[in-house]
């Protein structure tokens, strides 16, 4: 009990930020009616559709990685097939993202950095909006932050455990949204820079640990591989080709 009280005293600012984040994300959570993309999410996670048909259902209208839809489908089966259930899931994930950013800021620099980062995300209007939407973006933020958190921990302490945990969260990030590939590229650049700076005696172990991370990422991404391949073949009229003016 004393340990719990001491933890509360030393982390009360974090708790206040999380309370604020929760209040902002749950306020009027079901006020707006669902729009087209949310309807796609709800239909694809329909609990009456067989699990074996999940990939085909996703490919039919909304080709994204399956993790978010699989989690949403489980929640629908447990708590009911309603919009509120779906939006509460996004809100909870959004609050978790705020706490994850606190951990990342704390790991990169110090506790005050983590508190400031968490507070800014807690009141960020974009994050609040997507924490009330029946889409995968709040989950993408959470897993992206956790991926970087585990990457920082690995760079501080080069162990197979940290390397594998980094690979796991990165793989889950890619399994949530293909935009996570841009994040992975940025992380590869960081790891390449660190590898070049490593002493020769440590390079081999570092390389082996990165291979372990890469293997975990690839295995985690396998359920989305077919969807990714098929998505690259699609042409979207809403997305115009890049021009020199765009660049």
């Amino acid at each position: 009990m004393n340990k719990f009280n001491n933890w509360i005293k030393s982390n009360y600012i974090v708790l206040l930020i999380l309370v604020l984040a929760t209040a902002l994300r749950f306020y009027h959570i079901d006020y707006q009616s669902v729009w087209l993309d949310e309807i796609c999410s709800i239909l694809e996670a329909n609990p009456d559709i067989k699990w074996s048909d999940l990939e085909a259902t996703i490919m039919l209208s909304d080709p994204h990685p399956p993790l978010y839809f699989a989690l949403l489908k489980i929640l629908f089966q447990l708590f009911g097939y309603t919009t509120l259930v779906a939006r509460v899931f996004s809100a909870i994930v959004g609050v978790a993202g705020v706490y994850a950013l606190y951990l990342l800021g704390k790991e990169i620099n110090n506790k005050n950095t983590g508190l400031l980062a968490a507070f800014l995300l807690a009141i960020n209007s974009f994050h609040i909006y997507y924490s009330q939407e029946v889409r995968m973006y709040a989950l993408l933020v959470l897993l992206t932050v956790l991926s970087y958190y585990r990457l920082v921990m690995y760079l501080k302490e080069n162990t197979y455990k940290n390397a594998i945990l980094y690979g796991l969260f990165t793989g889950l990030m890619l399994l949530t949204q293909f935009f996570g590939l841009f994040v992975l590229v940025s992380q590869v650049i960081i790891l390449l820079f660190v590898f070049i700076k490593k002493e020769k005696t440590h390079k081999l172990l570092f390389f082996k640990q990165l291979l372990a991370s890469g293997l975990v990422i690839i295995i985690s991404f396998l359920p989305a591989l077919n969807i990714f391949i098929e998505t690259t073949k699609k042409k979207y009229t809403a997305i115009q080709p890049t021009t020199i003016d765009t660049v």
Side-chain angles (χ1 to χ4, degrees), residues 106-125:
K106 183 180 177 182
E107 193 67 31
I108 290 175
N109 193 22
N110 55 41
K111 186 173 182 177
N112 288 335
T113 302
L115 290 172
L116 178 59
F119 174 72
L120 291 175
L121 187 61
I123 62 173
N124 183 279
S125 60

Side-chain angles (χ1 to χ4, degrees), residues 45-57:
N46 188 335
D48 293 330
I49 296 177
K50 295 179 180 179
W51 280 99
S52 57
D53 295 330
L54 179 61
E55 180 179 310
T57 305

Side-chain angles (χ1 to χ4, degrees), residues 41 44-45 51-59 62-74 89 136 139 143 171-178 219-228 231:
S41 297
E44 288 163 17
W51 280 99
S52 57
D53 295 330
L54 179 61
E55 180 179 310
T57 305
I58 292 173
M59 284 301 305
D62 192 28
H64 288 292
L67 179 60
Y68 171 76
F69 303 108
L71 293 175
L72 193 58
K73 189 181 184 73
I74 293 171
F89 173 52
M136 73 291 296
L139 183 61
L143 292 172
L172 292 175
M173 174 187 70
L174 298 178
L175 202 58
T176 300
Q177 234 287 349
F178 292 132
I219 292 173
S220 301
F221 187 65
L222 285 178
L225 183 59
N226 186 51
I227 298 174
F228 177 74
T231 301

Side-chain angles (χ1 to χ4, degrees), residues 18 21 36 59 69 74 76 78 80 83-84 92 104 110 121 127 134 143 147 161 170 183 191 235 237 247:
L18 292 177
L36 178 61
M59 284 301 305
F69 303 108
I74 293 171
F76 282 151
L78 292 175
T83 303
L84 181 61
I92 292 173
L104 176 60
N110 55 41
L121 187 61
H127 193 259
V134 189
L143 292 172
S147 172
K161 176 185 175 181
T170 303
V183 177
L191 289 167
K235 292 184 178 180
T237 56
V247 175

Side-chain angles (χ1 to χ4, degrees), residues 1-246:
M1 190 66 179
N2 288 333
K3 289 184 178 180
F4 178 74
N5 290 335
N6 291 334
W7 187 89
I8 293 293
K9 289 178 181 179
S10 60
N11 292 280
Y12 71 94
I13 298 179
V14 181
L15 293 175
L16 289 175
I17 291 173
L18 292 177
V19 169
L20 174 63
T22 302
L24 291 175
R25 282 152 185 77
F26 277 83
Y27 178 70
H28 277 183
I29 193 170
D30 208 25
Y31 179 72
Q32 297 284 351
S33 58
V34 292
W35 70 291
L36 178 61
D37 282 10
E38 289 182 296
I39 293 173
C40 287
S41 297
I42 292 169
L43 291 177
E44 288 163 17
N46 188 335
D48 293 330
I49 296 177
K50 295 179 180 179
W51 280 99
S52 57
D53 295 330
L54 179 61
E55 180 179 310
T57 305
I58 292 173
M59 284 301 305
L60 185 64
S61 61
D62 192 28
H64 288 292
L67 179 60
Y68 171 76
F69 303 108
L71 293 175
L72 193 58
K73 189 181 184 73
I74 293 171
L75 291 174
F76 282 151
Q77 291 175 335
L78 292 175
F79 302 107
Y81 189 37
T82 67
T83 303
L84 181 61
V85 169
R87 286 186 170 168
V88 166
F89 173 52
S90 293
I92 292 173
V93 169
V95 174
V98 172
Y99 183 69
L101 192 59
Y102 161 73
L103 294 177
L104 176 60
K106 183 180 177 182
E107 193 67 31
I108 290 175
N109 193 22
N110 55 41
K111 186 173 182 177
N112 288 335
T113 302
L115 290 172
L116 178 59
F119 174 72
L120 291 175
L121 187 61
I123 62 173
N124 183 279
S125 60
F126 289 102
H127 193 259
I128 293 169
Y129 175 84
Y130 286 111
S131 295
Q132 292 188 335
E133 189 176 54
V134 189
R135 298 295 286 169
M136 73 291 296
Y137 303 114
L139 183 61
L140 174 64
V141 170
L142 171 61
L143 292 172
T144 298
V145 173
L146 289 175
S147 172
Y148 262 108
Y149 173 63
R150 296 309 314 191
L151 174 61
V152 172
M153 292 189 71
Y154 169 67
L155 292 177
K156 285 186 174 182
E157 186 179 357
N158 299 154
T159 65
Y160 277 102
K161 176 185 175 181
N162 286 336
I164 290 171
L165 286 173
Y166 159 66
L168 176 62
F169 282 110
T170 303
L172 292 175
M173 174 187 70
L174 298 178
L175 202 58
T176 300
Q177 234 287 349
F178 292 132
F179 286 156
L181 289 167
F182 293 107
V183 177
L184 179 58
V185 170
S186 72
Q187 293 175 343
V188 169
I189 293 172
I190 293 170
L191 289 167
L192 181 61
F193 178 79
V194 173
F195 178 77
I196 293 172
K197 291 290 185 179
K198 280 278 184 184
E199 296 179 6
K200 288 185 178 180
T201 54
H202 296 154
K203 280 188 176 181
L204 180 59
L205 177 61
F206 189 72
F207 181 72
K208 289 180 178 179
Q209 290 169 345
L210 291 183
L211 283 180
S213 293
L215 183 61
V216 173
I217 292 171
I218 291 171
I219 292 173
S220 301
F221 187 65
L222 285 178
L225 183 59
N226 186 51
I227 298 174
F228 177 74
I229 293 172
E230 292 300 319
T231 301
T232 60
K233 299 176 183 178
K234 289 180 175 289
K235 292 184 178 180
Y236 299 93
T237 56
I239 303 176
Q240 298 301 313
T242 302
T243 65
I244 189 63
D245 293 333
T246 305

